[in-house]
Amino acid sequence: METIIEVKHLKKAYKKRKSKEYVHAVNDVSFQVKKGEIVGLLGPNGAGKTTTIKMICGLLIPDSGEIYVNGVDNQKKRLEALKHISAVLEGNRNLYWRLTVRENLNYFAGNRGVSKKEAAERIEDLLEKFNLKEKENELVNRLSRGMQQKLAIMVAMLADSEIILLDEPTLGLDVETGYEVRELLRDFVSNYNRTIIISSHDMDVIQDLCDRTVIINEGKVVTNDKIENLLQLFQVRAYTITLGGLLSDEQQRQLLQKFPQFEYTPDTVESTLKVNLLRSEEIYDLFDVLKKENTPVEAIDRATVNFENVFMKIVKGEFNHAMGPSS
Amino acid sequence: MQWVHLLNANVQKEYLEMKRYLPNTIALIVTFYAIFLGMFAGIQIIGDPASQDVNTQYAIVNYIFWFLSIMIMQNIGWEITNEAMRGTLEQLCMSPMGLWRILSARLFSSTFLYLIIIVVLLVGTMLTTGQWLNIDVVTILPIMLLTLVSMIGVGFMIAGISIIWKQVQAFLQILQFILAGLTFIPLSVAPLMVFLPFVKGVDLVRNVMIKGWSFQEISGVDFLILGFNAIFYFILGLGVFLFCERIAMRKGLLAHY
């Protein structure tokens, strides 16, 4: 697949007002996005996601590094690069609340130099798709939060640009509207050949929509891989063993030696033991320890890992994953 | 053609917002008219009866220009601040047309709409006072166009400052007094003010509307000064704006007021 966004060694620091110290919001971030991908840009608050997104959108000038948007250097030819990008950065705040749905769409189309006539067909199509046809003459301040959010996404889609950046697209939406938005985004990628970068704290959205995630922490990329790979890595190694009694001190000492991060919850009737194995074969070592004192094993469960767990482990530095997308 | 679509979109948006905020627009016009009536009453009651007519005519022209300059220049500052607060400024900055082109369209649109209001107010003030000014459209039009260009230039400077400094509201309040100075003081009193923006234009319009100057009576040098002033302030204003926009993009000031 052809690369549509290329971010190379991006750095951005802000000066604190009082102490005059520099805060490195983004520190040597590099990644690529292929045409037609949905990529999740994740990280805890203050990790540098929004700064990275704003630099890609040309709203912030990086201190150093390069960004190519569809082959165009967005620092040298900012306006040319912007032809390929649209974004929803602050959700419903990106709209004019005293204009109607249609007036907003017409205005933003006009601001990109598109005529009303040219935009008309596209607006009709979007109104139908986003289920807002009945509300086209309603003032934005009278719409529900979900409808406002959908309109903000429509404005981004209206631009007809190949790349769409969405910062928290489902924030504050009810389950139904959130699902509707996800379906629409999926449809736009598959049927309209768009590439989407999503920044969100909603891991369900990321897991459901994205092919790949770039996780940023403290201004650096800590993981760049497909979600299925990340899930698989955790899935095979996390076990919960239910024991029909207690472990002896000697057993606990041996387990600590072999599995330093094991979690043990003692209970005279039913104790639980959680281990993360580095290799699948290590399960035999675990059984050896249990067998020594004939500790009854009631059940063995491979822990179900959802993407939120994976994300938390990566961000907390509990898991050191090699950088770069693996196939 | 992209310029035309941009301008069209902005004229419509300005008109729609003016209509949606109708009580504000009406209050603005009523306040303007009430203050004018106060000035007119002052001239009638305490002014020298010998120069009452001329003073009234000066008051009409100066006051109209003051209103126009406030509307164009102060307004753009408020708009930028509001857009940043609302969260729409970043969306505008993401247009491939460039923020300066969008603001140009906004400035032209608001100027056009306020000119319509100004014409209504001008007729209203003339009807109230019974002082009919010389409305020689052929002479006034080119002077007005060049004067508006330099006003728009200053508007760009204010827009640029508004992007960077959050406390611009205080400055915008003071600005109206600076604008009063620029529109009320005639060049015959302070000739060096010819170098300041739009002073020459206002002075020429005064001569046309009050003294009845025709196009032929305005010298080539006057037009040259007016043209130079317009181009100089437009380029300077645009330059200041682009510089401020760059600083804002470096420091991340386009949002979160």
Side-chain angles (χ1 to χ4, degrees):
Chain A
M1 270 197 292
E2 196 185 327
T3 300
I4 197 159
I5 291 181
E6 195 170 7
V7 175
K8 286 180 178 177
H9 307 293
L10 216 54
K11 286 186 180 179
K12 182 76 194 173
Y14 296 107
K15 204 185 207 172
K16 279 187 184 171
R17 274 196 185 171
K18 286 183 182 167
S19 61
K20 305 279 177 196
E21 277 173 56
Y22 279 94
V23 179
H24 294 276
V26 173
N27 198 359
D28 202 19
V29 163
S30 301
F31 63 90
Q32 291 182 345
V33 178
K34 308 276 181 202
K35 226 174 199 169
E37 261 190 312
I38 306 184
V39 174
L41 192 62
L42 309 179
N45 287 336
K49 310 178 297 281
T50 304
T51 303
T52 305
I53 284 185
K54 286 191 177 179
M55 286 193 279
I56 297 171
C57 293
L59 294 171
L60 261 179
I61 299 172
D63 294 337
S64 64
E66 291 160 80
I67 301 164
Y68 292 93
V69 178
N70 213 7
V72 181
D73 185 335
N74 94 333
Q75 288 174 74
K76 287 182 184 154
K77 292 180 178 176
R78 183 176 165 268
L79 297 183
E80 179 63 31
L82 283 176
K83 285 181 186 167
H84 305 282
I85 281 190
S86 54
V88 179
L89 297 174
E90 303 211 25
N92 58 350
R93 289 189 68 231
N94 283 169
L95 304 166
Y96 291 94
W97 286 36
R98 296 299 289 263
L99 297 185
T100 66
V101 169
R102 187 174 275 276
E103 285 162 0
N104 262 285
L105 292 166
N106 277 331
Y107 179 63
F108 282 109
N111 262 348
R112 291 183 81 98
V114 179
S115 74
K116 236 178 158 179
K117 204 176 160 188
E118 249 179 282
E121 198 185 329
R122 182 130 197 81
I123 288 173
E124 282 303 319
D125 185 37
L126 285 169
L127 284 169
E128 293 290 345
K129 268 203 160 53
F130 280 76
N131 226 356
L132 282 178
K133 180 72 185 154
E134 280 178 19
K135 301 280 179 185
E136 63 175 321
N137 295 317
E138 195 81 61
L139 290 179
V140 171
N141 61 4
R142 290 188 192 147
L143 298 178
S144 68
R145 171 79 201 251
M147 286 177 185
Q148 289 172 346
Q149 189 74 12
K150 282 204 283 184
L151 178 59
I153 298 171
M154 278 169 79
V155 168
M157 299 293 184
L158 181 70
D160 213 17
S161 47
E162 303 99 308
I163 305 155
I164 297 158
L165 290 110
L166 304 166
D167 199 0
E168 294 289 356
T170 54
L171 187 72
L173 300 186
D174 58 43
V175 178
E176 198 187 337
T177 318
Y179 181 76
E180 201 184 337
V181 167
R182 286 188 220 181
E183 287 303 308
L184 286 163
L185 293 176
R186 230 194 304 269
D187 175 58
F188 268 87
V189 169
S190 50
N191 297 327
Y192 293 83
N193 214 13
R194 305 290 178 96
T195 305
I196 295 180
I197 298 181
I198 300 177
S199 160
S200 177
H201 285 111
D202 186 341
M203 294 302 146
D204 285 342
V205 171
I206 297 292
Q207 193 171 352
D208 185 29
L209 275 179
C210 300
D211 309 309
R212 185 159 62 87
T213 57
V214 175
I215 301 179
I216 299 179
N217 195 19
E218 292 172 356
K220 289 176 192 270
V221 175
V222 287
T223 295
N224 179 357
D225 205 344
K226 287 184 174 179
I227 289 178
E228 59 187 61
N229 291 347
L230 292 172
L231 286 171
Q232 210 176 6
L233 276 166
F234 282 83
Q235 198 91 40
V236 291
R237 295 170 183 165
Y239 287 89
T240 302
I241 294 132
T242 310
L243 305 171
L246 294 165
L247 289 175
S248 69
D249 290 346
E250 177 56 21
Q251 278 177 309
Q252 286 183 50
R253 193 188 58 74
Q254 285 178 2
L255 284 173
L256 190 67
Q257 266 182 351
K258 286 180 178 163
F259 313 104
Q261 289 182 338
F262 86 101
E263 282 175 41
Y264 175 53
T265 314
D267 189 291
T268 45
V269 183
E270 209 175 71
S271 303
T272 52
L273 186 62
K274 287 182 181 175
V275 283
N276 284 328
L277 308 181
L278 289 171
R279 287 170 287 112
S280 303
E281 306 87 81
E282 284 181 340
I283 194 117
Y284 301 121
D285 298 338
L286 177 72
F287 285 133
D288 286 345
V289 174
L290 298 176
K291 200 181 169 189
K292 268 180 193 166
E293 297 192 26
N294 290 326
T295 311
V297 175
E298 301 290 341
I300 302 171
D301 293 306
R302 200 167 72 173
T304 315
V305 178
N306 62 22
F307 190 62
E308 194 163 342
N309 302 137
V310 176
F311 172 74
M312 289 306 292
K313 281 179 189 290
I314 290 170
V315 167
K316 283 181 183 171
E318 288 174 19
F319 177 69
N320 190 16
H321 177 50
M323 297 267 292
S326 49
S327 51
Chain B
M1 277 308 273
Q2 285 188 328
W3 263 102
V4 178
H5 303 319
L6 178 68
L7 191 64
N8 188 23
N10 279 282
V11 170
Q12 281 195 16
K13 187 220 163 233
E14 290 291 304
Y15 167 71
L16 286 167
E17 286 206 324
M18 220 178 242
K19 207 170 80 173
R20 300 274 148 77
Y21 292 96
L22 195 61
N24 286 8
T25 312
I26 293 170
L28 183 82
I29 294 167
V30 170
T31 310
F32 171 88
Y33 192 67
I35 294 173
F36 177 77
L37 287 181
M39 283 170 65
F40 179 56
I43 294 167
Q44 296 294 312
I45 298 162
I46 55 168
D48 176 8
S51 56
Q52 236 170 32
D53 287 356
V54 178
N55 284 345
T56 306
Q57 289 170 356
Y58 266 99
I60 295 173
V61 179
N62 292 345
Y63 191 53
I64 288 279
F65 264 99
W66 184 45
F67 179 73
L68 185 65
S69 61
I70 287 176
M71 285 302 104
I72 294 172
M73 285 177 267
Q74 204 182 39
N75 217 33
I76 195 74
W78 292 117
E79 279 209 23
I80 289 278
T81 314
N82 283 339
E83 297 265 1
M85 278 195 295
R86 281 195 288 210
T88 42
L89 187 65
E90 285 189 322
Q91 276 298 316
L92 300 184
C93 290
M94 283 196 61
S95 163
M97 296 293 285
L99 184 59
W100 77 270
R101 286 192 183 91
I102 294 173
L103 283 187
S104 301
R106 281 274 177 95
L107 280 162
F108 282 116
S109 313
S110 56
T111 305
F112 170 70
L113 292 171
Y114 282 118
L115 270 176
I116 296 171
I117 295 176
I118 286 287
V119 170
V120 175
L121 285 169
L122 184 63
V123 174
T125 52
M126 288 194 293
L127 273 170
T128 312
T129 58
Q131 296 292 329
W132 293 93
L133 299 163
N134 174 36
I135 311 289
D136 178 356
V137 179
V138 179
T139 313
I140 292 171
L141 199 66
I143 302 170
M144 274 300 283
L145 281 176
L146 290 168
T147 309
L148 288 172
V149 169
S150 75
M151 278 188 186
I152 287 171
V154 181
F156 267 122
M157 283 184 221
I158 291 158
I161 292 166
S162 306
I163 289 179
I164 294 180
W165 283 287
K166 298 173 181 77
Q167 290 83 4
V168 78
Q169 281 94 336
F171 169 71
L172 292 176
Q173 301 285 1
I174 298 165
L175 181 73
Q176 50 191 314
F177 299 107
I178 299 170
L179 295 176
L182 293 176
T183 48
F184 279 62
I185 302 169
L187 273 180
S188 53
V189 176
L192 282 176
M193 279 178 65
V194 74
F195 296 111
L196 295 177
F198 60 84
V199 174
K200 182 70 182 171
V202 178
D203 201 60
L204 285 174
V205 173
R206 257 195 304 257
N207 287 334
V208 175
M209 290 175 95
I210 299 167
K211 295 177 185 166
W213 282 19
S214 65
F215 194 82
Q216 287 77 17
E217 283 172 272
I218 300 169
S219 70
V221 176
D222 281 335
F223 268 115
L224 211 65
I225 293 169
L226 190 63
F228 179 77
N229 189 291
I231 294 166
F232 176 78
Y233 280 102
F234 186 80
I235 292 173
L236 181 71
L238 190 56
V240 168
F241 176 78
L242 292 173
F243 178 70
C244 291
E245 188 193 21
R246 192 105 188 131
I247 292 175
M249 287 202 291
R250 233 173 238 299
K251 294 189 174 179
L253 302 172
L254 291 174
H256 309 300
Y257 264 69

